[in-house]
Structure formats: C-alpha cells, structure tokens
C-alpha cells in the first residue's frame, strides 16, 4: 500500500471526491498531493463553492464544485498530516549513504546529485519526503539529513535495517524492513566494485547490525539497474506494492540495461553446429519470446545483439540432427 492509497481512503471516509488543488504537479498528482500533506506543507480545507478544475480521488481531472481545497488555510483542516501519519509505521526509510563521496570524480558527483533528486521523486510516489534520509552530505533537498548512517540508525534503533549491496551473499526477496540503505555510489569511472561493502564493514565496526541483500535477476545482477533512484523504486515496489522482485526489476529496467543481460543470455543459450564442415554458433528464434517476458528488449535488440556477436538466429523448425549440433 502506498501513502496515496491511505490518503484516498481517508478522503473517501470524509465524503471528499473532488479536490481543488491549484499548481498540482501532473505526474501521479494524487501521490504528490498525499506526500505534500504528509510533509505538512498543505492540508485539505472546506472549499469555496464555485466551479473549478478538480482532481478526483480516482486520479482524473474534472470540472465541478470541489469537496475540498488543498493548500495552506487558516481555518480547521478537514484532512491533514496527522490523519496520514497515523499509518507511518507501515512505511520504510530509504537512506542514501554518501560517506564515499570523496572517491568520486566531479562528473560522478553531478550524477550522484541527480540520482538523489530523482530518488526524492520516487519516494514521493510511494511515501513522503521525510522517509528519505541523506547521510554524510547536505544535499539541499527536502529529505532528512544526518551526519552519518550510524547516527541515524542509532537514533532510530530499528529492529531490521537492510543494506542493499550487489555483492551480498543473500538475495533480496521483497521482505519488509524498517529501513533500506543504498550506497551513494556512482560507477562511471574507476573501479568501485565492493564499495558498498565498505559501508557494511564500517557499520559492523560501530556495532550496528544490518542485513546485506543483493537484488538479482534470475541468478545474476546483470540486468538489474544500479542507479540509486531505480534501486529505491524496485525496493518500494516490492515492499509496498507487494510486487514480485523480478516484475519490479522489469518495470524499472531500460533497454540499455536489458541489452547487457541479453548479450549474456545469448552466449549462454547459444549452441554450435556445423554445416559442410563449417562450424558456427546459433540461437533459436524462440529465445526472443522467452527473454522478452523478463527483459525489456524488442526484436530489433535481439537480432542486432546476436549479429554483433557473430551468432546466427535460426528457425526452431531446424532440427539439431540437420544442423549436426555439437555441445557448446
Ligand atoms: C552504482 S551502485 C554501486 C555498487 C558498487 N560498485 C559496489 O560494488 O558496491 C550504487 C548502490 O546501488 C545499490 N545497488 C546497485 N545494484 C544493486 C544490486 N544488484 N543489489 C543490491 N543493491 C544494489 C547499492 O546500494 C549500491 O551501493
């Protein structure tokens, strides 16, 4: 359940269907409205009874007399922050640990900044600003900031916090936790393999227990987006929407990331055949159908990758016997 679902439920209980919300952001406006109310920036008030362009609790914009006005008012609110934050324990914190900023280049720091901002947009789709925590860096955005992840975790005393780490031994299966920690690390240059583990070791040294989990796609991390905002999106889809992790990865994946995995799968599934003594590698056409169920690729990606790798795509009707297939 996302914060907006609680908001819709609370609005409906109060007989509110149409909301006049001026200057509302257009992408997922209900989620944005709910996040702004939970952050205490605005509340719902009794409206003036005049015709307006209203947002309905079904997410549509319609002309009509609003049941509520969303904004800053001086009267008593009919729905405010407290109505939503009663349910706050259902929502995890997302921590971005920026303690490794000094191993980044200027270009990477710009990208890190962008990813942090995009993570705030992701968090607003599911929760609200104060569920995002930035440690060891003042990002200037409306998230919470702490001098270190240790400070935050010690203050909160969570029963279960998870550090997301591509090199962890254990897999993330969508299990809930009170807090998910993502490394504020951007891999554009140099070798930062194992950098997330440094965060783990540091926490361990401070006596703070966190679980380490790897997000993987069918046994491999290739194909899992590694941008901070997309990791946050995958985790929140899994824990709040109850989405299967593979589906959550698919929804956050782009074609470029999918193609990296496609290349690996093409090699894995290729076979060797010989015709008139000439050996060649091939894959079967039906592989596209199998892969496109969990990789965001199209037919063009499939044929182009195979061609670039010198692997022939053959029709499934060609039998191994006719091709004299040898084990690869
Ligand atoms: C660009 S990654 C950096 C990974 C770093 N090179 C390493 O080897 O630890 C940024 C952050 O996203 C998260 N992340 C990326 N891919 C992940 C995966 N497959 N599983 C779990 N966490 C992942 C981690 O928290 C990581 O610190």
């Amino acid at each position: 359940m996302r914060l907006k679902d609680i908001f819709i439920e609370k609005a409906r209980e109060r007989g509110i269907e149409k909301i006049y919300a001026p200057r509302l952001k257009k992408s997922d406006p209900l989620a944005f409205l709910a996040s702004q109310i939970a952050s205490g920036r605005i509340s719902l008030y009794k409206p003036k009874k005049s015709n307006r362009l209203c947002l309905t609790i079904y997410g549509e914009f319609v002309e009509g007399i609003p049941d509520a006005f969303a904004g800053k008012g001086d009267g008593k609110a009919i729905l405010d922050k407290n109505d939503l934050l009663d349910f706050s324990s259902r929502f995890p914190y997302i921590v971005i640990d920026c303690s490794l900023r000094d191993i980044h280049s200027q270009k990477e720091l710009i990208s890190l900044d962008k990813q942090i901002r995009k993570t705030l947009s992701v968090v607003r789709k599911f929760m609200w600003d104060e569920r995002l925590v930035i440690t060891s860096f003042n990002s200037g955005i409306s998230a919470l900031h702490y001098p270190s992840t240790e400070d935050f975790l010690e203050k909160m005393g969570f029963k279960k916090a998870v550090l997301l780490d591509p090199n962890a031994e254990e897999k993330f299966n969508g299990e809930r936790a009170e807090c998910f920690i993502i490394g504020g690390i951007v891999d554009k240059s140099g070798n930062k393999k194992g950098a997330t583990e440094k965060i783990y070791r540091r926490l361990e040294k401070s006596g703070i227990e966190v679980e380490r989990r790897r997000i993987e796609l069918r046994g491999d991390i290739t194909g899992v987006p590694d941008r901070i905002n997309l990791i946050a999106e995958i985790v929140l889809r899994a824990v709040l929407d109850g989405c299967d992790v593979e589906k959550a990865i698919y929804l956050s994946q782009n074609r470029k990331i999918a193609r990296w995995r496609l290349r690996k799968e093409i090699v894995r599934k290729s076979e060797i055949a010989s015709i008139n003594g000439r050996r060649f590698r091939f894959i079967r056409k039906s592989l596209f159908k199998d892969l496109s169920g969990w990789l965001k690729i199209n037919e063009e990606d499939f044929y182009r990758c195979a061609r670039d790798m010198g692997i022939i795509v053959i029709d499934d009707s060609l039998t191994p016997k006719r091709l004299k297939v040898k084990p690869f």
Side-chain angles (χ1 to χ4, degrees), residues 164-167 181-183 185-187 192-197 213-215 221 224-226 228 231:
L164 294 149
D165 182 350
N167 302 301
I181 306 156
I182 303 173
I185 303 163
V186 175
D187 279 329
K192 299 195 191 68
K193 189 167 163 43
T196 317
E197 190 176 346
R213 292 280 182 276
R214 177 185 78 249
I215 301 174
I221 59 163
V224 178
D226 71 347
I228 298 160
I231 291 290

Side-chain angles (χ1 to χ4, degrees), residues 19-34:
I19 303 159
Y20 171 50
R23 292 187 298 279
L24 196 62
K25 286 209 174 160
K26 292 288 180 285
S27 126
D28 207 343
L30 277 172
F32 183 72
L33 190 57

Side-chain angles (χ1 to χ4, degrees), residues 39-51:
S39 290
R41 288 195 192 96
I42 55 171
S43 302
L44 294 192
Y45 296 93
K46 279 222 153 84
K48 290 199 179 96
K49 296 280 176 200
S50 53
N51 231 38

